Amino acid sequence: MRTYIVTRRPHQLGFMGVALALTYVMIMGVIYESKIPPKPYHRDIIYVQQWRADRTDAEIVAQQKIDGVEQTRQANELKRLEAERRAQFKKVNDGLKAYGI
């Protein structure tokens, strides 16, 4: 082993040291991760509405009107959140422009 190391050039020894260090870090990371207990299982239950197959068109339209109000409210809330996010990004962008970036 000593003969092998002595015959190497300095940059080769440096790269060998870096390769050994990275290998050591990855192996220690795997060992560390294996000791962490897994997260407990959490059920993600999604409920859906079931409709009768013999519904009339009037019942369908009435339900769409009821659901339309909620969909409109959700769409408006999403637009508001998107506007807030755009304002945040604009503030960051303006700050970066001040530095010439």
Side-chain angles (χ1 to χ4, degrees):
M1 184 72 148
R2 184 178 185 278
T3 306
Y4 177 79
I5 292 175
V6 171
T7 60
R8 300 287 117 189
R9 293 184 179 166
H11 72 279
Q12 290 175 329
L13 292 175
F15 282 120
M16 183 176 70
V18 170
L20 290 173
L22 287 175
T23 302
Y24 177 78
V25 167
M26 286 193 291
I27 290 173
M28 289 298 115
V30 168
I31 291 172
Y32 174 75
E33 287 290 324
S34 68
K35 293 181 181 179
I36 296 175
K39 292 182 180 179
Y41 176 73
H42 173 63
R43 267 185 206 196
D44 190 15
I45 301 173
I46 299 173
Y47 294 98
V48 297
Q49 292 180 336
Q50 291 185 344
W51 303 102
R52 296 185 335 265
D54 61 345
R55 290 189 303 157
T56 64
D57 287 341
E59 290 175 332
I60 294 171
V61 170
Q63 186 61 44
Q64 286 175 343
K65 286 181 182 178
I66 294 170
D67 293 342
V69 173
E70 179 64 23
Q71 287 177 348
T72 303
R73 188 192 62 75
Q74 289 177 353
N76 290 338
E77 178 68 15
L78 182 61
K79 286 179 185 178
R80 184 188 64 79
L81 292 173
E82 287 174 350
E84 286 178 8
R85 180 58 59 102
R86 273 194 302 277
Q88 291 171 352
F89 280 122
K90 184 175 181 344
K91 182 178 178 182
V92 170
N93 190 31
D94 292 342
L96 291 174
K97 281 184 181 178
Y99 289 110
I101 297 176

